[in-house]
Amino acid sequence: MTIDLVDVSITSPGRNFVTLKITTSDGIVGWGDATLNGRELAVAAYLSEHVASMLIGRDEDRIEDTWQYLYRGPYWRRGPVTMAAIAAVDMALWDIKAKKAGMPLYQLLGGASREGVRVYAHASGTDYAALQNAITGYQELGYTAVRVQTGVPGLGQIYGVSSSGPGVRYDYEPAKRSGDRPSEETWDTRNYLSHMPGVFARIREDFGTDLRILHDGHHRMSPIEAARFAKEIEPYDLFWLEDCTPGEDQTALRLVRQHSTTPLAIGEVFNSVFDYQTLITERLIDYVRSAVTHTGGITAMKKLLDFAAIYGIKSGIHGPTDISPVGMAAALHLDLAIHNFGIQEYMPHNAQTLEVFQTSFTFDQGFLHPSEQPGLGVELDEDAAAAHEYTKAYLPVNRLLDGTIHDW
Ligand code: CS2
Ligand code: MG
């Protein structure tokens, strides 16, 4: 059989998603997630203008060969746009293969290595009382791990901190519909460094030692600042400190490692195994944070995680709302199958999104299961998707108090 049709759809049920649909000559449909936050149309155009015609007539079963054809074939390699497009094709082909086999995808990846996938939730609040309320709320829902982000005195709205009131939602939407340009936030690392250790101390006092606590530094610290911070927070036993330094500087983490035993996670802005070469071989990190959607799909993520496993490094796959339910399902099948699973990020999608994407993964007591449906277990309702028109949205920009553009 061969690939007959390749369609790209863009929908915006509260936020934008790009979805690839591949249909085979015998009518089997596979879905892939190609959502790149704030750059959705670039990936959609790459797929429909450049990739789609390369796929028509190919044998849908030749997943590895198709991956290499799209990666090595066009000469220009890597980058988030290209790798998100390859990821979508790869996911759709695995969806088709598993549907043909009549099995949930994780069975083709080696079968289950565990009963469920432990996930972490996003607990945040502008002050400690709101954060405490958020953590309590997640514990009541059964979560055993929370990422904690909170406001910093002297700064306004900070990325990653929910501005909604208690009991509404404790997480946030990464992209803002802010017109023709991004909104701007302010940052000061000194304020942050003097505030955060006290927050972790209070959380340990109030919630005890069982709770897994994660924290995202969003690439905002210099290597020496991150080293000092990671060392200072050791007594609070974080599950991980994420993205403490700018992502593209792999050797920055050498300094952090020399000074601290706080576990480190990085990689949500990476898009290939080469972004990790030094980090993995020098054991500078503990968790790989890439998204299946941004790193070339299931084929590439499986290789990356197998490489990490040799060095005792585990997975912590990126799973914010800007990964569609299709990309989330792909992550869950990998999580269940691989040996070196660490934890999975989970930001549940809103009700509108779940009307457009029919999911079958289930949450129970802090764990997700990808479902027993053949394939990835997610179907796009194309009529429902068509009702939500694309709306431009941006991630915010971060500036220091004096106006200098800063990492984030
Ligand atoms: C965050 C995300 O999930 C995370 O750890 O860093 O909100 C991330 O910033 C967005 O997904 C970027 O699109
Ligand atoms: Mg992050």
Side-chain angles (χ1 to χ4, degrees):
M1 299 306 132
T2 56
I3 295 173
D4 235 21
L5 294 168
V6 179
D7 299 293
V8 183
S9 76
I10 305 169
T11 182
S12 197
R15 71 157 351 278
N16 296 318
F17 295 106
V18 180
T19 311
L20 183 73
K21 177 186 183 186
I22 293 183
T23 311
T24 66
S25 50
D26 52 359
I28 299 171
V29 167
W31 300 104
D33 178 23
T35 309
L36 180 62
N37 207 3
R39 294 292 182 273
E40 295 86 1
L41 301 185
V43 189
Y46 183 61
L47 277 169
S48 55
E49 303 301 318
H50 302 283
V51 174
S53 58
M54 295 168 72
L55 297 175
I56 306 296
R58 290 183 66 82
D59 178 350
E60 77 268 13
D61 277 329
R62 296 180 61 171
I63 300 179
E64 177 70 26
D65 184 62
T66 300
W67 196 95
Q68 300 296 345
Y69 180 62
L70 296 178
Y71 179 79
R72 283 173 212 275
Y75 187 65
W76 309 109
R77 293 185 189 179
R78 305 163 66 193
V81 173
T82 312
M83 297 309 282
I86 296 177
V89 174
D90 186 79
M91 274 181 223
L93 295 183
W94 277 109
D95 193 21
I96 289 168
K97 196 183 272 294
K99 281 173 176 162
K100 281 166 70 172
M103 289 181 189
L105 174 67
Y106 74 82
Q107 292 291 7
L108 301 191
L109 300 175
S113 287
R114 55 196 51 79
E115 302 310 315
V117 170
R118 188 190 299 276
V119 294
Y120 71 88
H122 282 239
S124 70
T126 43
D127 58 16
Y128 184 73
L131 175 61
Q132 189 184 32
N133 185 48
I135 299 172
T136 307
Y138 282 119
Q139 281 191 319
E140 283 167 7
L141 292 170
Y143 286 89
T144 59
V146 286
R147 181 188 103 150
V148 299
Q149 306 294 127
T150 185
V152 174
L155 302 181
Q157 172 64 36
I158 294 177
Y159 182 75
V161 178
S162 166
S163 46
S164 51
V168 186
R169 270 194 84 135
Y170 312 119
D171 58 8
Y172 61 98
E173 168 46 52
K176 307 262 177 311
R177 290 173 169 177
S178 52
D180 278 340
R181 52 178 65 89
S183 60
E184 303 209 349
E185 297 182 353
T186 47
W187 182 250
D188 185 79
T189 310
R190 277 182 74 82
N191 287 6
Y192 166 78
L193 290 178
S194 63
H195 182 65
M196 272 324 283
V199 173
F200 295 131
R202 288 184 75 175
I203 296 171
R204 276 286 171 238
E205 252 174 59
D206 293 342
F207 294 93
T209 51
D210 275 1
L211 181 69
R212 288 163 175 79
I213 302 173
L214 298 83
H215 178 67
D216 194 343
H218 243 287
H219 311 110
R220 290 165 174 146
M221 286 168 267
S222 69
I224 197 70
E225 287 166 344
R228 184 193 126 192
F229 182 56
K231 181 169 154 183
E232 195 177 342
I233 61 176
E234 276 174 13
Y236 313 119
D237 184 26
L238 262 62
F239 185 89
W240 78 37
L241 171 62
E242 174 184 346
D243 292 348
C244 58
T245 49
E248 64 272 44
D249 185 358
Q250 295 188 42
T251 57
L253 292 181
R254 284 184 188 145
L255 194 71
V256 186
R257 266 305 206 226
Q258 278 160 17
H259 292 278
S260 161
T261 56
T262 294
L264 302 176
I266 202 162
E268 69 180 41
V269 295
F270 297 175
N271 49 68
S272 102
V273 65
F274 296 101
D275 298 319
Y276 287 97
Q277 215 164 6
T278 304
L279 296 175
I280 290 179
T281 54
E282 293 189 21
R283 300 174 196 267
L284 300 180
I285 55 169
D286 302 279
Y287 297 93
V288 163
R289 281 286 288 140
S290 282
V292 185
T293 304
H294 303 143
T295 312
I298 293 152
T299 299
M301 274 300 272
K302 177 78 168 68
K303 290 181 190 182
L304 166 58
L305 293 171
D306 286 345
F307 173 45
I310 295 167
Y311 294 85
I313 296 166
K314 294 185 176 178
S315 70
I317 300 181
H318 196 213
T321 43
D322 46 288
I323 298 299
S324 89
V326 176
M328 187 67 192
L332 294 176
H333 285 279
L334 268 168
D335 291 332
L336 199 69
I338 58 171
H339 177 251
N340 57 327
F341 169 72
I343 202 162
Q344 171 66 49
E345 179 179 17
Y346 181 40
M347 260 170 120
H349 291 103
N350 65 22
Q352 274 180 311
T353 301
L354 296 175
E355 275 164 25
V356 170
F357 293 91
Q358 273 135 30
T359 59
S360 56
F361 51 80
T362 48
F363 175 83
D364 184 34
Q365 292 303 307
F367 289 80
L368 278 170
H369 192 283
S371 103
E372 292 302 320
Q373 268 186 29
L376 287 169
V378 179
E379 298 294 320
L380 182 76
D381 178 333
E382 291 171 277
D383 292 333
H388 301 281
E389 226 174 86
Y390 168 78
T391 312
K392 193 186 254 193
Y394 287 96
L395 283 155
V397 166
N398 195 33
R399 286 185 191 274
L400 299 180
L401 293 172
D402 71 358
T404 310
I405 292 277
H406 192 58
D407 303 291
W408 76 282

